[in-house]
Amino acid sequence: MTSPLQQKIKISGPSIVTANRTGDGVVIYRTGEKSWSARIADASVVRNADEARALLSEAVADDVGAIGAYIAPVDVIEGKIEPGNLREHIRSEGLTIPLLPVPA
Amino acid sequence: MYAYDEIDRTLVNERVSEFRDQVQRRLSGELTEDEFKSLRLMNGVYLQLHAYMLRIAIPYGTLSSPQMRKLAHVARRYDRGYGHFTTRQNIQYNWIKLSELPDALEDLASVGIHGMQTSGNCIRNITTDQWAGVAPGEIEDPRIWAEILRQYSTMHPEFSFLPRKFKIAITASENDRAAIKVHDIGLRIKKNEQGETGFEVLVGGGLGRTPFIGKTIKEFISHRDILSYVEAILRVYNQYGRRDNIYKARIKILVHELGIEKFAQEVEEEWLQMRDGVLALDDVVVEDIRSRFSYPNYQKLSDNPDELKAAAADPRFAMWLGNSVAPHRVPGYSIVTLSLKPVGMPPGDATADQMDAIADLAEKYSFGEIRVGHEQNLALPNVAKRDLPALWRALDKIGVATPNVNLITDIIACPGLDYCSLANARSIPIAQELTKRFANPDLAKLIGKLHINISGCINACGHHHVGHIGILGVEKNNEEFYQITIGGRADEQAEVGTLIGPAVPYAEVADVIEDIVEAYLALRARPDEVFVEAVKRLGVTPFKERVYATR
Amino acid sequence: MPLVKDGKIVDDTFVHLADDAVLASGGDLLIPAVRFLADSGAAVARSGKTGVVWLNNRDIDDLVAHLDKISIVALVFPSFRDGRAYSQARLLRERHGYKGELRATGQVLRDQFVFMLRAGFDAFDVRKESDAKAFAEVAARYSVFYQPTGDGRVTAFRQRLARHAEVAGS
């Protein structure tokens, strides 16, 4: 497998690093405090390839805590971080469909 | 039903204990994700967008009521109260935690089910006709052979690290409900002139990026030689299948690149060296497997009981009876399909409560047996006709009696971008919208047999290539678009569908399908000329013109 | 890398001969297939023992004529996922009756031990010390085997028939 760090890093706008938590698979975002958060609002936003590489490197180094870290686009609107594409919207906000009704 | 004995159970338990150790080593950091990935995949554990996904095998689509209850238990205890039945007689849980996976698998092992070989580059769950053993006119019960192949393929010491995944399906009926022509190996049970049971062997079928219909490699192979012949195919594939490019690694590409004659010759050479070896099946072994399948103690019952006559006056019951109930090989009994395609819901999903209720109904009305088909519906294979009205009321109550089997709203769909990390576009919302458009049962009945298949990416888990109408999600400039094919089919006349034109945006898919259906209704020669036959006669042009005239 | 043989960690007396190294007359050597085939006479005429490293894309038929002159066949797993050497191993043992050491090299982890043992390997160049130490425990993890291979383990089919015979005879 090619390490994500060996791939060419190219970003076209504000970006974050995201992954899934090893123990339960929950979507997580790399923060500026060298840790992870389940809230996209806590994500560290990078704006050029060097910053992105640095953030991804430290994320990938945490192989025990997180799986499959990668760079994802975001929009920063009035200081609020919004997912930059549909896939990331779904990862951040959940299914676009109702779950089957589960009786209480 | 096949009854696992102590030997089968021991293996499943040993596997769970091994996986528990592997999960432990992963969580402690002893195993990197790179090392662990192959191990979890060998146990059916994927990582999806929101969580891990666990895929559980339902060998040859047969479940007992206790097994179904255990599937419900896992859904309730370790997941979010539901599961998704797939196109390969598996069930998937979408929200399972890695740390709880060994416990979930241990619970399943207590009823003899597991996730072994539901992923990874090994021989996957052996599938067959969901009506195996009960369909009229069947040559013999294909599940005996599916079980022999299941045992043969489980933890195979030579073929657990193949170039790519490997799928085998078997049918014993004229009408192929197991889609054998789109499998790596398809087996059709037949008898030779001497009345001996054997198989027509097809190889190299498959969907995905490069769809191929399987080709016959052997017209007839004796049942005695089936394992050695399969092993010869696998050995040639293991040695020569491409490993340099994941998209060219399936056996279909090897068969295509070598040509079927050359491939067949390689297999034959290998096979001749081993056909009389340890894999030759003696009758004692076959009979021993056969003896552990138990069959219901059918009663002599009326084929047209009073209960049925009385209920026929209810038009809703009559519609369901006409749609979801099929003839059984034993007079007085029926095969009942349970639609998991209610209007507006994700195709193939069932809640834990539904699963429990179905387990109870199977015990009450179907000798405790449930089937899972590749169309993502369930079936009760042994229902006395006199019980049909009572069963219908119970099924209706839990929402699995929508009379849409084989109709336009009986949609096959993969989980798509709502769940899947490979998907480019969503599948489920498209299916939901379509079921709403065609929700009127009279309209669906008027349209007649029409299979819509939806895949959210080129990997084709929704088998879009072989849908009468196939819908494939693609991504264009960060937007969801869908390519539409028509004229595909997965049965004994399997065919890959033809693209009708440029992909259409998400919001227009349902309109396009409506246009295609309207064109069909206007153009069909007779009401009983089904959609796929009309396409065959007319070609794609009239449909294409209709769809793109105003777009 | 620890070598496990017959279930135990042992010292490896063999040295891998580099592609361009001089063929020493003494010492136990593992020789790349290309060099071995180029002059197999010279390789086996040495005083030390000879093993051959056979890559997984080489036809095993080309090795068959030499099997009685060599002590080790080392098959290669370039990655965990590449299973070609399992086929080569079974062919060597079961079809060609090779009785010498069959060594698994390359990406050899504990999770393959059972598969490898069943395919006929009896020596393992294990990548991790911890895996090598766990060998005996891991090798004993499974007691049920469905497929007949050349490793002599009793298959589930035969176990069952034996049980039935026992029941019938008692």
Side-chain angles (χ1 to χ4, degrees), chain B residues 5 8 11 14-15 18 22 25 30 35 151-152 154 158 160-161 231 238 270 288 292, chain C residues 80-84 86-87 90 95 110-111 115 128 141-144 146-147 158 160 164:
Chain B
D5 64 7
D8 299 299
L11 179 76
E14 287 170 348
R15 180 61 169 252
E18 179 184 41
Q22 290 163 342
R25 284 191 284 144
E30 191 185 331
E35 292 167 331
Q151 296 194 15
Y152 165 75
T154 297
E158 185 177 345
S160 293
F161 303 90
E231 179 145 311
N238 192 38
E270 177 59 31
D288 189 61
R292 285 189 301 124
Chain C
F80 183 83
R81 295 157 54 92
D82 187 339
R84 281 177 278 190
Y86 293 105
S87 286
R90 285 194 68 202
R95 184 164 298 165
R110 77 167 77 178
D111 308 284
F115 294 110
K128 294 185 188 176
R141 177 154 259 150
Y142 284 94
S143 66
V144 173
Y146 283 120
Q147 310 78 8
R158 298 295 151 199
R160 271 194 202 106
H164 298 338

Side-chain angles (χ1 to χ4, degrees), chain C residues 70-134:
Chain C
I70 54 181
S71 314
I72 295 182
V73 177
L75 298 177
V76 185
F77 292 85
S79 80
F80 183 83
R81 295 157 54 92
D82 187 339
R84 281 177 278 190
Y86 293 105
S87 286
Q88 294 176 317
R90 285 194 68 202
L91 290 174
L92 280 172
R93 288 285 195 225
E94 297 171 38
R95 184 164 298 165
H96 303 298
Y98 175 64
K99 299 272 191 284
E101 178 179 324
L102 190 53
R103 187 182 288 195
T105 68
Q107 195 67 23
V108 178
L109 302 172
R110 77 167 77 178
D111 308 284
Q112 298 142 303
F113 290 164
V114 173
F115 294 110
M116 288 172 170
L117 283 165
R118 299 227 58 216
F121 288 99
D122 57 0
F124 308 84
D125 254 339
V126 184
R127 288 193 72 90
K128 294 185 188 176
E129 192 74 35
S130 57
D131 285 356
K133 285 186 176 142

